[in-house]
């Protein structure tokens, strides 16, 4: 879909995992050659960048199993990216906020994904990002954190809930300040 971004260090697209040569030749390849590349991708890793504040990330998490390769989980602070580029987040613009809430609720329902917006959104996801890093960004931990935030309708910024999740994952809260 013309959105490949090349990871210069690895020489592959950060999203689909294809090489520059494979991307360049893709539209002129036959089905057999494309199938061979897709089979080969099963041995490559795909980097997935996410932030726990994003409802789109929560939905995407449930769709990762359809990818043809192992996924490497990479937490990012979405607000930091927005600030760097001088942009507002979708939840900060009333029309985008309303559309995002409606779309994500509908989309999750269509896909059969458990989904409830947290009581307050946007919220500061930094503790959750640090918790994920403290746990090695393991897929089961990332899933648990997303479920904690996006399936209960509770306040994701509630310090008591964050403490509860730290205990469940056997991480001392003090460790989050140094991560």
């Amino acid at each position: 879909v013309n959105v490949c971004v090349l990871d210069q260090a690895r020489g592959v697209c950060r999203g689909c995992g294809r090489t520059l040569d494979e991307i360049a030749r893709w539209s002129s390849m036959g089905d057999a050659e494309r199938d061979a590349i897709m089979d080969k991708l099963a041995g490559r890793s795909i980097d997935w960048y996410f932030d726990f504040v994003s409802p789109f990330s929560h939905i995407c998490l449930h769709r990762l199993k359809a990818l043809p390769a192992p996924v490497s989980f990479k937490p990012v602070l979405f607000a930091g990216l927005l600030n760097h580029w001088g942009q507002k987040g979708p939840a900060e613009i009333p029309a985008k906020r309303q559309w995002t809430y409606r779309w994500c609720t509908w989309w999750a329902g269509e896909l059969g994904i458990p989904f409830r917006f947290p009581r307050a959104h946007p919220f500061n996801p930094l503790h959750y990002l640090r918790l994920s890093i403290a746990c090695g960004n393991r897929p089961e931990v990332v899933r648990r954190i997303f479920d904690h935030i996006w399936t209960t309708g509770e306040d994701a910024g509630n310090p008591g809930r964050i403490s509860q999740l730290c205990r469940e994952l056997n991480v001392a809260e003090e460790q989050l300040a140094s991560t």
Side-chain angles (χ1 to χ4, degrees):
V1 289
N2 295 326
V3 293
C4 288
V5 177
L6 198 63
D7 179 335
Q8 297 296 333
R10 296 185 310 150
V12 298
C13 173
R14 291 180 179 167
C16 69
R18 294 178 296 163
T19 66
L20 181 58
D21 178 62
E22 292 165 345
I23 294 165
R25 296 184 309 106
W26 191 259
S27 62
S28 63
M29 290 179 186
D31 289 342
E33 191 173 7
R34 285 183 185 173
D35 288 346
I37 290 171
M38 293 305 288
D39 289 342
K40 191 168 60 171
L41 287 176
R44 296 181 188 165
S45 171
I46 297 173
D47 291 341
W48 179 54
Y49 296 88
F50 65 91
D51 189 340
F52 292 107
V53 76
S54 170
F56 294 102
S57 289
H58 173 71
I59 293 169
C60 183
L61 172 71
H62 290 269
R63 305 195 72 203
L64 294 176
K65 60 185 170 266
L67 294 175
V71 176
S72 178
F73 292 75
K74 308 281 186 174
V76 296
L77 182 61
F78 185 52
L81 295 171
L82 293 171
N83 288 340
H84 175 79
W85 295 106
Q87 300 291 316
K88 288 184 176 184
E92 298 174 273
I93 302 166
K96 284 187 177 184
R97 177 187 180 104
Q98 184 177 19
W99 183 87
T100 297
Y101 285 20
R102 286 182 179 172
W103 170 257
C104 288
T105 301
W106 174 84
W107 194 25
E110 288 293 304
L111 296 171
I113 296 170
F115 184 85
R116 287 186 65 196
F117 263 89
R119 186 169 295 148
H121 186 267
F123 56 89
N124 184 346
L126 195 54
H127 286 91
Y128 295 110
L129 293 166
R130 289 178 173 171
L131 180 57
S132 178
I133 292 166
C135 293
N137 300 317
R138 294 189 322 270
E140 67 275 10
V141 169
V142 172
R143 282 186 196 94
R144 179 62 191 109
I145 296 171
F146 269 113
D147 286 348
H148 180 83
I149 296 167
W150 289 102
T151 63
T152 65
E154 299 290 330
D155 181 0
N158 179 321
R161 293 196 76 235
I162 295 169
S163 296
Q164 172 195 3
L165 190 57
C166 285
R167 285 190 302 277
E168 181 183 323
L169 296 173
N170 296 314
V171 174
E173 283 186 75
E174 300 78 36
Q175 190 177 343
L176 302 186
S178 63
T179 302

